[in-house]
Amino acid sequence: QLRLVESGGGSVQAGGSLRLSCAISQYTATPSYMGWFRQAPGKEREGVAGINNARSTIYADSVKGRFTISRDDAEETLFLQMDDLKPEDTGTYYCAARYGYRPLVRLLVSSEFEYWGQGAQVTVSS
């Protein structure tokens, strides 16, 4: 059973940066598609960024130009570099993974993913 564990969350002031990591373990094959999602209190989970095994990426409009998703299969890690953070970026961030082909545009849809981490809290103060 694929296991995902996030780290790197924390509290920062607006304009600051954080880097989230997601360690991948207990897998028989490298996941084809991975993504980052977030959930703010009282809101639904939303897609933030997705990446496929060809390193093609997709971002939510709200984070374009500020967040960067990347993956290092050799180190079995997914990353999310978050710059110029805003208070509205506050929430619990989850990494997710799946096998099997899906169009890139679907990587921001939570129901497309089979495996999830436990989440990492990000708090941005104004």
Side-chain angles (χ1 to χ4, degrees):
Q1 178 83 3
L2 180 69
R3 184 167 183 247
L4 305 172
V5 179
E6 300 94 339
S7 61
S11 298
V12 296
Q13 291 190 326
S17 297
L18 283 174
R19 190 190 198 202
L20 299 179
S21 298
C22 175
I24 311 163
S25 63
Q26 299 178 7
Y27 60 94
T28 56
T30 302
S32 303
Y33 303 90
M34 301 199 69
W36 286 99
F37 292 77
R38 67 186 180 190
Q39 188 166 19
K43 294 188 176 181
E44 293 188 356
R45 189 171 299 188
E46 63 173 349
V48 174
I51 186 168
N52 64 18
N53 51 3
R55 304 300 190 271
S56 296
T57 58
I58 185 170
Y59 296 92
D61 288 343
S62 59
V63 306
K64 280 181 182 176
R66 300 188 298 120
F67 290 13
T68 303
I69 187 173
S70 62
R71 59 188 288 176
D72 186 330
D73 290 341
E75 294 192 1
E76 303 172 326
T77 307
L78 177 73
F79 300 101
L80 184 68
Q81 177 66 40
M82 304 184 291
D83 298 318
D84 190 23
L85 282 160
K86 303 177 180 181
E88 51 264 42
D89 295 319
T90 294
T92 302
Y93 283 69
Y94 300 89
C95 70
R98 65 159 289 132
Y99 296 95
Y101 171 77
R102 295 302 293 152
L104 190 64
V105 68
R106 297 296 294 176
L107 298 188
L108 295 181
V109 179
S110 60
S111 60
E112 295 286 2
F113 287 86
E114 305 163 288
Y115 303 95
W116 293 85
Q118 83 289 347
Q121 180 65 37
V122 172
T123 303
V124 185
S125 58
S126 58

